[in-house]
Amino acid sequence: MNTSDLHIIPNPLVAKKTDKPFLIAGPCSAESRAQVLETGRAIAAKGDASIFRAGVWKPRTRPGSFEGIGEPALAWLQDLKAETGMPVATEVANAQHVEACLKNNIDYLWIGARTTVNPFYVQEIAEALRGVDIPVLVKNPLHPDIGLWIGALERFNKCGINQLMAIHRGFYSYEAAPYRNVPKWDLAIKLKRSIPNLPIICDPSHIAGDANLISEISQIALDLDMDGLMIESHCDPKLALSDAKQQITPDVLHQLMSDLNMPKATHESDAFNRNLNNMRSVIDKYDDEILNVIQKRMEMVAEIGKVKKENNIMTFQIQRFFHILKTRKSTGLELGLSKEMVYELFELIHKHSINIQNKI
Ligand code: PEP
Ligand code: MN
């Protein structure tokens, strides 16, 4: 199946609002009937969220932590829905979870990051949903493999699930980072390019891992044209049994939502559009210059390749590679460019230079 063949039925709740982003909110876990109702009532009263979320089965890294209430908590979600009218969502990780959710009229299911990585589980859940018309939200896998993410969406689609959405919740990283899970916006954008009508929601709570960082990540997501947000909210975050550090109260959530700026894709003013086009033509010129310089570089690379070949010298020389990265990085730094960008750029340029020499 070509990814563009995915058949996606748009969700009416996601249909772009101009003044406020689409929001799914609720606690990491359903902990007690009182906690679900108190949190859900407060969220419903503020009117920011279209869907209430709460985890019922919690995938925890270590055994012994709170692993969720399980099936009995689904009744609390039903109680909240009956009272507030808000549709409810929970995470499913196997066929039994699906069966319990269908029995308890859960409206939305999401697939957690630890499940998306495993095609066996995804297939099992998809099969359990065959013939059921329920929206499914697929979180990105733990590691940045877009194939697994698309593969999971395809497995659901093949079992007849058409109301699909994706959730970008960031990726595990070995390197120290300000965030719990590093966002890979480029991957989310790539997914959007492969499946243009697939809504992509950002989960700033699991990206941040810290209540104080949720607002800045949410704003980036909106600036990048993501289709909505999933934010963890708990009536008393410090007492939360899971993800306590990243949860915010419904009041704080309301303030955060009010402070977010909803950017527009286009501007109606002709003067603005003319000015933007003029500035873009300057960029176009610089890009031409970049390509011309790269062409000259590659000509020289080919020359060197011939000399190496005539003298039986290896094409790839690690010392030279390190020297290039180090010197370009420090020149880039002097010019105020990002270290990461310069590093990635020259890694790519060097890789293709070596390819050219290998072909000689
Ligand atoms: C969650 O949403 O509570 C959750 C467990 O998310 P993730 O699968 O993104 O870790
Ligand atoms: Mn959580």
Side-chain angles (χ1 to χ4, degrees):
M1 188 192 285
N2 184 317
T3 49
S4 57
D5 295 344
L6 253 83
H7 183 250
I8 310 286
I9 296 182
N11 185 295
L13 297 179
V14 185
K16 278 251 157 58
K17 295 184 200 152
T18 45
D19 54 337
K20 257 172 43 172
F22 166 70
L23 174 68
I24 302 171
C28 178
S29 308
E31 300 167 0
S32 68
R33 188 168 184 278
Q35 172 250 10
V36 166
L37 291 180
E38 188 183 339
T39 307
R41 281 176 188 144
I43 290 174
K46 300 288 182 196
D48 301 305
S50 304
I51 299 171
F52 180 82
R53 64 147 281 159
V56 162
W57 299 278
K58 299 305 298 176
R60 306 310 300 279
T61 306
R62 305 276 302 271
S65 350
F66 173 66
E67 292 189 316
I69 299 287
E71 192 165 346
L74 297 175
W76 308 335
L77 297 183
Q78 279 317 293
D79 294 343
L80 179 75
K81 184 182 167 183
E83 193 183 309
T84 62
M86 249 198 304
V88 290
T90 200
E91 172 173 345
V92 290
N94 61 38
Q96 289 82 44
H97 296 167
V98 169
E99 199 188 323
C101 286
L102 296 179
K103 212 169 69 197
N104 284 277
N105 299 316
I106 300 302
D107 304 288
Y108 287 77
L109 305 179
W110 83 80
I111 309 303
R114 291 160 192 77
T115 306
T116 309
V117 288
N118 188 329
F120 289 127
Y121 280 127
V122 172
Q123 189 64 34
E124 174 185 318
I125 297 166
E127 298 287 353
L129 284 171
R130 210 181 265 284
V132 180
D133 187 19
I134 191 169
V136 175
L137 295 87
V138 180
K139 289 202 173 198
N140 63 253
L142 290 174
H143 59 287
D145 179 343
I146 193 171
L148 276 173
W149 203 0
I150 293 176
L153 291 159
E154 285 174 339
R155 286 178 197 279
F156 284 106
N157 214 211
K158 282 186 176 210
C159 286
I161 306 295
N162 297 311
Q163 298 184 65
L164 287 168
M165 295 185 219
I167 302 180
H168 173 213
R169 49 78 79 198
F171 298 87
Y172 179 77
S173 166
Y174 284 109
E175 283 162 30
Y179 299 140
R180 177 180 176 194
N181 292 294
V182 181
K184 292 227 173 274
W185 303 108
D186 53 328
L187 223 70
I189 291 167
K190 221 177 192 171
L191 183 66
K192 199 156 199 83
R193 278 216 316 263
S194 322
I195 316 172
N197 49 358
L198 174 75
I200 306 184
I201 309 299
C202 174
D203 172 347
S205 305
H206 288 89
I207 290 177
D210 176 340
N212 296 314
L213 301 173
I214 293 173
S215 141
E216 63 182 55
I217 299 166
S218 302
Q219 189 60 58
I220 295 173
L222 297 183
D223 291 340
L224 292 175
D225 199 19
M226 297 291 125
D227 298 282
L229 303 168
M230 179 190 254
I231 300 182
E232 286 189 340
S233 175
H234 189 292
C235 54
D236 198 349
K238 59 184 184 308
L239 297 183
L241 299 179
S242 59
D243 289 351
K245 283 207 299 244
Q246 70 194 32
Q247 301 205 60
I248 55 180
T249 62
D251 276 345
V252 171
L253 175 63
H254 179 63
Q255 190 57 49
L256 186 152
M257 292 302 286
S258 318
D259 291 345
L260 285 177
N261 174 42
M262 277 300 270
K264 299 174 288 191
T266 54
H267 200 296
E268 52 287 344
S269 140
D270 285 344
F272 171 86
N273 288 320
R274 256 197 317 276
N275 187 31
L276 183 65
N277 284 338
N278 285 342
M279 290 195 287
R280 281 182 170 160
S281 62
V282 175
I283 296 245
D284 294 345
K285 209 168 107 272
Y286 288 144
D287 285 351
D288 277 346
E289 285 174 23
I290 291 173
L291 288 171
N292 276 298
V293 173
I294 290 181
Q295 189 266 337
K296 284 192 201 121
R297 186 190 205 276
M298 293 310 177
E299 256 175 34
M300 196 42 151
V301 160
E303 281 294 305
I304 295 177
K306 276 186 220 137
V307 176
K308 282 180 181 166
K309 175 127 186 128
E310 282 157 16
N311 292 279
N312 197 26
I313 299 287
M314 287 176 197
T315 47
F316 181 70
Q317 296 185 356
I318 196 142
Q319 290 314 327
R320 170 68 180 157
F321 178 55
F322 287 157
H323 174 77
I324 287 178
L325 291 180
K326 195 166 148 224
T327 51
R328 279 38 164 191
K329 232 164 53 186
S330 72
T331 308
L333 228 59
E334 276 165 30
L335 292 168
L337 297 172
S338 124
K339 214 168 59 206
E340 291 76 21
M341 183 188 77
V342 174
Y343 191 94
E344 281 177 31
L345 186 62
F346 278 92
E347 226 178 11
L348 188 73
I349 288 178
H350 191 259
K351 181 178 107 183
H352 287 276
S353 302
I354 294 299
N355 283 348
I356 288 175
Q357 293 189 345
N358 280 341
K359 283 203 193 107
I360 290 170

